Amino acid sequence: MSKVYLIGAGPGAADLLTLRAARILAEEAEVVLADDLVSAAVLAHVRPGARILRVGKRGGRPSTPQSFICRLMVRYARHGKVVVRLKGGDSFVFGRGGEEVAALAAAGVDTEVVPGLTAGIAVPAAVGIPVTHRGHCHGVTLVTGHGSEHGGEPDWAALARTGTTLVIYMGLGRLLNIAARLIAAGMDPTTPAAAIAAGTTAGQRHVVACLAELPARVAASDLAAPALIVVGEVAAFARPESLQWAEAEMRAA
Ligand SMILES: C[S@@+](CC[C@H](N)C(=O)[O-])C[C@H]1O[C@@H](n2cnc3c(N)ncnc32)[C@H](O)[C@@H]1O
């Protein structure tokens, strides 16, 4: 029976895939439309014989248009296939899952969403940062670091006053500007902050500094996208950077 599953593949490590996701990939998938962020280790779960199409949408590189991806899903479903739309993290957190569900519903295609572990929670955890911690913050705000075509830029001045941990997706390239805006809005420049790249994978790297110094520390490092920025007292819980080489060797072993 034709169907489209929107599956969140988790932050990178293949064993952070949910059991439900692994079962559908191994037993049901006939066509898999996978994002760039989905690792080869995750794709290794896909049933032999299934067709895997890379439909990457990574920032700064040529992207597959969203409308084309939606059309492909509908076309394969109408041909009676079980289609998996596989994305990094969770489809409904900066994953355009809402748009895809709407497009599939409009086309009358049966759809099921399988949640994944979003990078915004799992990646800080991978370096020891709890995104909430009693006595340190009132909550956590997940926010994009780059503007959208609809909503413009996030209101950094308002975000600076929330008293919540800020977890900033897609913010590495604009880090200097973001830090300046938060500080200009009254956030303490000594607020702990961290940048974490390729979290939960063998290439995981992180840098910890105060907010004012984080952009320079990141610029002097080899951190590259995909990366998350964490701003708030909880960032001080990050494991020391000096331990990460040993940790990377253990992950790769
Ligand atoms: C288009 S968003 C997709 C988010 C995804 N849907 C999720 O729930 O995690 C891509 C951004 O997520 C963040 N990201 C995803 N995986 C990551 C990882 N393993 N390490 C660090 N950041 C990651 C980065 O900020 C990256 O630019």
Side-chain angles (χ1 to χ4, degrees):
M1 255 272 274
S2 78
K3 180 167 189 169
V4 175
Y5 289 102
L6 259 63
I7 296 184
D15 53 357
L16 289 175
L17 205 57
T18 65
L19 291 174
R20 187 181 300 180
R23 185 194 59 73
I24 293 166
L25 290 174
E27 296 176 10
E28 292 190 48
E30 294 180 288
V31 180
V32 178
L33 307 183
D35 267 4
D36 272 345
L37 279 177
V38 176
S39 66
V42 166
L43 290 175
H45 285 267
V46 175
R47 205 167 62 85
R51 185 161 187 198
I52 299 177
L53 303 172
R54 282 284 190 180
V55 287
K57 291 167 56 59
R58 197 124 152 206
R61 295 209 212 140
S63 296
T64 312
Q66 184 62 45
S67 55
F68 179 72
I69 296 172
C70 289
R71 279 204 303 278
L72 266 187
M73 288 192 288
V74 170
R75 189 184 309 159
Y76 280 115
R78 284 184 176 156
H79 278 88
K81 302 289 186 198
V82 174
V83 181
V84 171
R85 175 75 174 109
L86 191 59
K87 305 185 188 212
D90 184 275
S91 307
F92 279 1
V93 181
F94 302 123
R96 304 190 73 162
E99 291 163 55
E100 292 181 356
V101 166
L104 292 163
V109 173
D110 185 20
T111 306
E112 182 176 329
V113 177
V114 178
L117 199 49
T118 186
I121 293 173
V123 167
V127 300
I129 301 175
V131 292
T132 69
H133 195 310
R134 200 154 63 93
H136 290 276
C137 57
H138 300 297
V140 56
T141 303
L142 307 182
V143 63
T144 173
H146 76 68
S148 81
E149 58 271 34
H150 305 300
E153 264 222 68
D155 184 345
W156 296 108
L159 289 167
R161 293 190 294 271
T162 58
T164 66
T165 303
L166 301 182
V167 176
I168 305 167
Y169 293 66
M170 299 168 276
L172 200 67
R174 301 200 56 239
L175 178 56
L176 187 61
N177 183 276
I178 292 168
R181 286 180 178 231
L182 291 172
I183 292 167
M187 191 176 266
D188 185 343
T190 67
T191 303
I196 313 145
T200 79
T201 74
Q204 177 180 300
R205 294 270 291 110
H206 72 281
V207 167
V208 191
C210 68
L211 177 59
E213 286 172 10
L214 190 70
R217 290 288 316 285
V218 167
S221 77
D222 57 359
L223 258 64
L228 281 164
I229 314 297
V230 182
V231 181
E233 285 182 22
V234 293
F237 289 90
R239 281 197 293 283
E241 290 169 30
S242 55
L243 290 180
Q244 61 189 321
W245 303 112
E247 290 177 350
E249 274 176 29
M250 282 167 60
R251 273 194 301 277

